[in-house]
Amino acid sequence: MGVQGLTGFVEERGVFFTELRVRDTKLVIDGSSLYHRLCFAPAADLRRGGDYGLFAATVRDFFGVLRACRVAPFVVLDGGRGAEDRKLPTLRARAAEQLRAAHGLSRGAGGCLAPLLTREAFVQALGRLGVPFVQCFAEADREIAGLANRWGCPVLSLDSDFCVFDLAGGYCPLSHFQWQSVRAADGPQACFVRARCFSVERFCRHFGRLDKSLLPLFAVMNGNDYIGLEALEVFFSKVRLARGGAAGKGGKHLRLQGLLHWLSQFAEPAAAVDSVLKHLKKHQREEIRELLCTSMEDYAPSDVNLEDFFQNGRYDCEAARKADVPQWVLATLAKGKLAPLIINALILRSTFLRVQVENLQRPSAHSTALPIRQVIYGLLLRVSQNTEDASPSKQTNELPIVCEFDRCQKTLKKTFVQAASLPPAFCDDRFPLDKLMEVPMSCRQMLLLETLGVKMSFLEPIPGHLKLPIAVTCYWLRCSEPKVKLNQLKALLLMIVSGELQRITDHPDPTILHAEDDRIAYNEFLKWKEKKLQNDDFDLDAAHSFCQWQCCLQMGLYLNQLLCTPLSEPDLSSRLYTGTLVHRLYQELKSTPSVENLFISSPKMTQFYLVLLNTVKS
């Protein structure tokens, strides 16, 4: 969510903020705002698909600072789009913006586009650090505000809607949260983060007698993620607002200020709504009244008690019950072990596929992972293969359809995709979706591996935590169009080996004698990375291929989660994918094939690379 123009307006006027030293407090954090803020760090390379290890290290540093300041963080993440799907127009506009950013980045221009697996890497990092977090059923703003008010602590976000909520502990914008320059106070143990805290009281005083209860109406009339201005243009054209009023000259801030001054004459929202409706045609009035009142409820207290979740692990949500979401799905979603795409496909039969920095002249990188998504949709929407007696046309009609929003070249388009039909074990009446975890593990694992086109016997030499990424790599090699080049495959596998080498070097297993040759190989690898790259050109076709791999890995992760993890979930933060590294390896393999022997000082790592290569090529 976000109120149009409000962030810029309050930032220009520092009078609405107080200085704050954040320490010895609980802090409710808008997780979606935080991970976007951290992934756009100055050193981040956004063209090559993300450096998730570097991102995870930044997340670790951030929460390390909070711990040093004795701040107890509680992270709240957005979930799905909600059963009413009221933000659909805004999400389509946002997806179009991301497409433009991807196009700019692909040509070497600027742009901000979060790498595809940023959210997954963030959730994994929170779990590994032991930071309490919850993923909501839908938009998280109301639940964030409710929890912060229950505890009387600040909210940390970068969302202007928190200027509208009446927050007892205030709203601290991430843009002024100086966690990277923490300083000691009086004693050696007393650290604090300098921050600025938005004051609703100061904001309302700036506009005369403006009552706080009118702020939700202001947000709705000014325009937020749920409602545009079109319905109220007649009102704005007829009412003379102070400070310039109508849009025209001076832009949105004049209208924004004028609207706030106009609202200050009313004691409560109902009287202001009545006054707005007088300027509209009679046949529009009740529809607009309902629209305004419904939209203002987005700033009302939520019925979800997140304190109960953080204390007892219970996430209870009336909206999810009304949507008939199985309890295990809701509980798993709340723990961050199911993705928002899953809940959107289940209740809306609609998903958005996020664009990457890929070759926009080719089909979307997500096309490669379509068969995996179809199996996900089949599991969620229960399609049976037992239709031998039905005609082909009847079978087609029985398959549920999911609407996917994805790019077609440089345009956002929607495509209707059929769910896959599933083996009989998954269509047994004893195992509806709410009892999916009761399907035998062997059946769930078989469905995952059959979808990826891999037999378990092929994966036996592969460590447990890498079985899923290697199975996905087999799928990518088989299904990608155009076909994966051998040097692209080798670069990807060398990258995975480097991550494994770093993992065992940084965190040696105390039960195994740490091999000296592994340490030597890792130091030589670090020296190699420090060398200046002879050719730093950006290869868009290689980028497209690696984007396809990430799409396959993302959907492989989601299918594995939906099947209750028949394979171990890989750790994205352990250098499983490092975009800058895989692109460099690919460039150097083209000119210097001996780079394939990068880890030759370690016989174990050299053998590991050959095992991966032979497994995938087989």
Side-chain angles (χ1 to χ4, degrees):
M1 292 170 70
V3 182
Q4 293 173 14
L6 186 55
T7 294
F9 176 71
V10 299
E11 288 284 347
E12 289 174 8
R13 294 156 181 79
V15 295
F16 302 138
F17 292 94
T18 57
E19 298 300 319
L20 191 67
R21 293 183 174 188
V22 181
R23 62 184 172 196
D24 299 302
T25 182
K26 289 178 177 175
L27 182 66
V28 179
I29 300 175
D30 176 352
S32 302
S33 286
L34 179 61
Y35 76 68
H36 278 96
R37 181 79 178 177
L38 296 182
C39 86
F40 295 141
D45 184 321
L46 301 176
R47 295 183 79 193
R48 292 173 171 82
D51 288 356
Y52 297 114
L54 184 63
F55 169 69
T58 306
V59 174
R60 183 191 64 228
D61 291 345
F62 176 85
F63 286 102
V65 167
L66 296 189
R67 186 167 54 251
C69 298
R70 296 178 306 286
V71 173
F74 294 85
V75 177
V76 185
L77 288 152
D78 290 326
R81 285 147 51 188
E84 296 175 352
D85 204 16
R86 290 169 49 222
K87 278 183 69 171
L88 180 59
T90 297
L91 292 173
R92 294 183 70 162
R94 199 167 290 163
E97 285 175 17
Q98 291 170 348
L99 189 47
R100 287 190 290 273
H103 179 53
L105 285 164
S106 71
R107 293 164 50 208
C112 286
L113 185 70
L116 184 69
L117 299 173
T118 304
R119 180 199 149 276
E120 287 74 23
F122 182 66
V123 168
Q124 286 187 354
L126 294 177
R128 194 173 54 260
L129 294 168
V131 175
F133 74 94
V134 63
Q135 184 173 247
C136 297
F137 170 63
E139 184 92 28
D141 289 10
R142 292 173 62 208
E143 294 173 37
I144 289 171
L147 181 64
N149 277 339
R150 184 178 288 267
W151 287 340
C153 68
V155 166
L156 182 65
S157 178
L158 201 56
D159 184 337
S160 56
D161 274 314
F162 291 111
C163 296
V164 176
F165 286 102
D166 186 9
L167 298 171
Y171 156 52
C172 296
L174 270 161
S175 51
H176 297 288
F177 195 74
Q178 299 176 39
W179 66 275
Q180 289 170 306
S181 53
V182 166
R183 61 190 69 189
D186 298 331
Q189 302 301 316
C191 294
F192 61 86
V193 181
R194 290 189 181 276
R196 298 177 76 190
C197 188
F198 177 80
S199 167
V200 171
E201 286 73 18
R202 287 189 178 196
F203 185 74
C204 288
R205 280 201 304 271
H206 186 78
F207 297 99
R209 301 184 305 278
L210 181 64
D211 192 275
K212 287 187 287 189
S213 66
L214 288 154
L215 290 179
L217 179 58
F218 151 70
V220 170
M221 292 181 67
N222 189 64
N224 63 14
D225 284 357
Y226 287 118
I227 182 171
L229 295 172
E230 297 82 6
L232 297 172
E233 283 303 322
V234 173
F235 164 79
F236 284 111
S237 67
K238 289 184 177 181
V239 173
R240 182 174 178 80
L241 299 178
R243 300 198 177 217
K249 298 178 182 179
K252 293 179 180 176
H253 288 183
L254 290 177
R255 173 182 281 195
L256 183 150
Q257 292 180 81
L259 178 58
L260 286 162
H261 279 293
W262 183 82
L263 287 169
S264 67
Q265 66 185 296
F266 300 101
E268 42 87 30
V273 170
D274 288 340
S275 184
V276 170
L277 298 178
K278 288 176 184 175
H279 294 89
L280 306 182
K281 293 179 180 178
K282 287 185 179 179
H283 70 275
Q284 293 181 311
R285 291 177 183 174
E286 287 313 306
E287 180 185 352
I288 299 298
R289 183 194 299 276
E290 185 177 348
L291 179 63
L292 292 174
C293 293
T294 300
S295 300
M296 282 192 288
E297 289 175 7
D298 295 322
Y299 300 95
S302 169
D303 66 318
V304 177
N305 181 359
L306 288 187
E307 184 178 45
D308 192 29
F309 175 83
F310 285 120
Q311 290 180 349
N312 305 307
R314 287 194 300 266
Y315 184 84
D316 191 26
C317 175
E318 180 64 26
R321 276 200 302 273
K322 288 180 179 177
D324 293 325
V325 176
Q327 185 56 42
W328 81 266
V329 172
L330 185 62
T332 311
L333 182 80
K335 294 172 184 174
K337 294 180 179 177
L338 282 179
L341 178 140
I342 299 296
I343 205 72
N344 290 333
L346 176 62
I347 66 173
L348 299 175
R349 298 197 178 192
S350 170
T351 59
F352 277 83
L353 304 176
R354 290 189 53 247
V355 69
Q356 300 173 81
V357 183
E358 55 193 84
N359 189 336
L360 301 185
Q361 300 304 315
R362 289 184 174 171
S364 166
H366 287 285
S367 302
T368 307
L370 173 60
I372 308 176
R373 293 197 302 278
Q374 288 176 301
V375 173
I376 291 172
Y377 302 152
L379 283 168
L380 292 169
L381 305 173
R382 287 294 305 274
V383 183
S384 172
Q385 281 187 341
N386 299 329
T387 54
E388 291 86 352
D389 298 333
S391 66
S393 61
K394 187 174 181 183
Q395 288 182 39
T396 300
N397 291 336
E398 288 177 353
L399 294 171
I401 301 294
V402 174
C403 173
E404 292 186 338
F405 289 92
D406 194 8
R407 71 163 188 86
C408 178
Q409 293 194 332
K410 300 174 191 173
T411 308
L412 182 71
K413 293 203 171 179
K414 62 181 178 181
T415 306
F416 295 96
V417 172
Q418 287 185 345
S421 53
L422 301 176
F426 291 89
C427 303
D428 192 320
D429 289 340
R430 293 174 299 162
F431 304 124
L433 178 60
D434 59 358
K435 294 186 178 179
L436 181 60
M437 70 277 287
E438 295 179 20
V439 175
M441 171 66 83
S442 59
C443 293
R444 286 182 273 130
Q445 187 180 87
M446 185 180 298
L447 177 61
L448 174 64
L449 294 177
E450 285 182 352
T451 302
L452 298 176
V454 179
K455 292 182 178 178
M456 194 62 184
S457 57
F458 284 116
L459 298 177
E460 283 177 3
I462 308 300
H465 63 284
L466 288 177
K467 288 187 190 298
L468 182 58
I470 296 305
V472 162
T473 304
C474 295
Y475 174 93
W476 169 67
L477 196 65
R478 193 179 73 254
C479 298
S480 286
E481 286 294 340
K483 291 300 179 185
V484 177
K485 294 179 179 177
L486 181 58
N487 281 338
Q488 292 169 355
L489 172 62
K490 288 180 176 179
L492 187 83
L493 296 179
L494 285 168
M495 176 193 66
I496 291 173
V497 172
S498 75
E500 190 69 2
L501 181 59
Q502 179 175 350
R503 185 182 69 82
I504 64 175
T505 305
D506 290 349
H507 306 287
D509 186 339
T511 64
I512 300 173
L513 184 63
H514 186 46
E516 180 66 14
D517 50 19
D518 287 345
R519 188 183 62 77
I520 292 171
Y522 184 58
N523 288 335
E524 289 178 352
F525 168 66
L526 293 179
K527 289 177 185 175
W528 173 83
K529 280 178 68 179
E530 289 171 3
K531 290 180 184 176
K532 186 171 177 61
L533 184 61
Q534 293 178 352
N535 179 8
D536 196 23
D537 292 342
F538 179 66
D539 187 324
L540 187 57
D541 288 338
H544 191 85
S545 186
F546 296 133
C547 284
Q548 290 174 317
W549 185 82
Q550 285 209 65
C551 290
C552 296
L553 180 62
Q554 182 187 49
M555 292 306 152
L557 281 169
Y558 291 178
L559 178 58
N560 190 49
Q561 289 176 339
L562 185 58
L563 291 169
C564 309
T565 57
L567 293 182
S568 298
E569 185 163 301
D571 184 0
L572 292 167
S573 66
S574 63
R575 314 280 170 173
L576 179 63
Y577 185 88
T578 303
T580 51
L581 176 59
V582 75
H583 276 257
R584 176 172 182 173
L585 286 164
Y586 174 63
Q587 291 289 0
E588 297 219 3
L589 281 165
K590 287 193 297 182
S591 59
T592 315
S594 61
V595 169
E596 191 172 3
N597 300 320
L598 190 59
F599 305 107
I600 199 165
S601 300
S602 169
K604 184 170 67 177
M605 286 296 119
T606 301
Q607 179 62 25
F608 180 50
Y609 167 70
L610 292 173
V611 166
L612 295 184
L613 185 62
N614 292 331
T615 299
V616 173
K617 289 174 71 175
S618 68

